Amino acid sequence: MIGADRGGQGQSVDRPAGGSPGTAARGCPATPSRLACRMGPERAGSGWFGRAGRGRVRAARALATLDEVEHGDHVCWRMEPDGAFPADARAYVADGALYGDKIVVVGPAGVASGVPRDTVSLASVVLDFRGPADSDSVLAAVRREARSAAREGFRSLRVLAERIPATETGGAEELLAQELKLDEFASESGAMVVCAFRPSLWDAPTLERVACVHPHEMGIRAGRPAFRMFSSGADRWSVDGVIDSECAAAFNAAVRAAVRHTPKVRLRFDTLEMIDAAGMHALVEAARQLPDRRIIVEGANETVRLCWELAGYAAPGMPVVMAV
């Protein structure tokens, strides 16, 4: 049963009939905003929240199966074939139940119908976003469940979100902002976040941009993106790969999403292989999109810094600064 819409806010869903005992049977307090009861053993003080994210160096990588998802991972799962979702989702959720993780399924109302009924019965909550949901609403709902899971003694939070293309104007940019916030959350909390995409529903350019803001990818034909931008701390993003004319637009969109709600961000270029003139222009233009934005680039090699100066971007007053 899907809960009533609350103006785009995430609505928790009770366990369906036939699954684990519901809130009334377990004697758990039910409130209008959260009807689901916890599952799994209570192990106070044993959770990974916060501890898993601190001091952990994240590295981009490809996964063969969802069995390889680790704490702090944020995975772009390109489902091929589309019908792979029920079976793989069932295994991912079952592993969470086995290890004592709290399961959170995120998505619009229709997503719950794509998850097998026995899988939903294992999930602690389904966050139902029936209407358009902004990135702050999505993150606030997930953080709320993370705090609840920590209090209840779960090991960690295991998020499964099937992404559906937005039809409203600005939907693609909002999706990038959501993914970056989810990535920052996974990095700092140690939660496991899997975002599922059915390629048949998405246009190729949008799907490629989304893949670039996930440090991890999985799928039969999920080729490594030309570059990746992922969280390495609060308002700090690591960039790896190659940024050239072919992916400059995607890089511009990712940076614009990163500076959307904060006046200053730091980009780490330590593992960036190359950025050409188109990529540099895309970076500067992203910073210029909004007033009073400042981007500090750290870890760039000598060649990148020299090219930056030769292109005239080291001039005073530029919104992007190449740190020494």
Side-chain angles (χ1 to χ4, degrees):
M1 177 177 67
I2 303 293
D5 179 42
R6 294 201 163 203
Q9 295 297 319
Q11 173 73 24
S12 299
V13 178
D14 202 0
R15 300 175 194 275
S20 301
T23 54
R26 294 282 295 273
C28 297
T31 66
S33 63
R34 186 172 187 277
L35 299 177
C37 185
R38 70 177 183 267
M39 67 166 205
E42 191 168 325
R43 295 181 292 183
S46 63
W48 276 65
F49 295 102
R51 289 193 300 113
R54 290 194 295 267
R56 181 175 183 267
V57 178
R58 304 175 84 204
R61 72 183 197 283
L63 283 65
T65 70
L66 292 180
D67 292 339
E68 300 175 15
V69 179
E70 299 177 354
H71 292 280
D73 283 358
H74 179 212
V75 182
C76 178
W77 174 22
R78 303 192 204 193
M79 295 179 287
E80 295 189 24
D82 283 2
F85 183 70
D88 289 344
R90 183 185 296 111
Y92 177 70
V93 169
D95 281 349
L98 177 65
Y99 291 114
D101 298 332
K102 180 174 183 178
I103 313 299
V104 175
V105 179
V106 183
V111 169
S113 64
V115 183
R117 195 163 183 78
D118 58 339
T119 298
V120 176
S121 70
L122 290 172
S124 295
V125 288
V126 173
L127 298 177
D128 167 20
F129 294 93
R130 292 192 175 188
D134 60 61
S135 56
D136 289 335
S137 297
V138 173
L139 186 64
V142 173
R143 285 189 181 279
R144 182 179 65 240
E145 297 305 330
R147 290 192 297 269
S148 174
R151 289 194 304 269
E152 294 164 354
F154 287 93
R155 182 188 71 152
S156 185
L157 194 72
R158 188 174 288 236
V159 179
L160 175 63
E162 183 178 358
R163 294 306 205 172
I164 305 298
T167 56
E168 67 275 6
T169 303
E173 185 171 334
E174 178 59 43
L175 177 61
L176 284 181
Q178 284 187 25
E179 293 294 355
L180 287 173
K181 284 182 175 292
L182 283 173
D183 190 62
E184 194 169 46
F185 165 74
S187 174
E188 70 184 23
S189 70
M192 291 165 277
V193 180
V194 173
C195 300
F197 297 84
R198 300 178 191 263
S200 62
L201 300 180
W202 295 83
D203 63 88
T206 299
L207 191 55
E208 183 62 27
R209 291 185 181 189
V210 168
C212 290
V213 293
H214 289 76
H216 314 104
E217 77 275 348
M218 192 190 94
I220 296 174
R221 287 187 286 175
R224 179 185 176 92
F227 77 93
R228 285 194 184 94
M229 189 170 124
F230 54 93
S231 177
S232 55
D235 296 325
R236 186 186 298 268
W237 306 93
S238 291
V239 184
D240 76 356
V242 173
I243 303 173
D244 56 19
S245 58
E246 292 186 5
C247 61
F251 181 54
N252 175 270
V255 175
R256 280 191 288 109
V259 300
R260 189 173 171 183
H261 298 298
T262 184
K264 183 172 74 173
V265 300
R266 295 178 182 273
L267 300 182
R268 296 292 313 184
F269 276 14
D270 306 77
T271 56
L272 185 69
E273 298 174 31
M274 189 270 285
I275 180 169
D276 69 4
M280 293 181 184
H281 179 74
L283 174 58
V284 172
E285 286 303 304
R288 286 172 170 166
Q289 287 291 317
L290 293 171
D292 302 321
R293 292 307 193 264
R294 184 175 175 84
I295 298 174
I296 300 174
V297 177
E298 301 173 334
N301 60 41
E302 291 289 344
T303 302
V304 170
R305 290 203 297 269
L306 177 59
C307 291
W308 185 262
E309 293 176 4
L310 292 176
Y313 293 132
M318 294 294 293
V320 181
V321 176
M322 192 74 61
V324 177

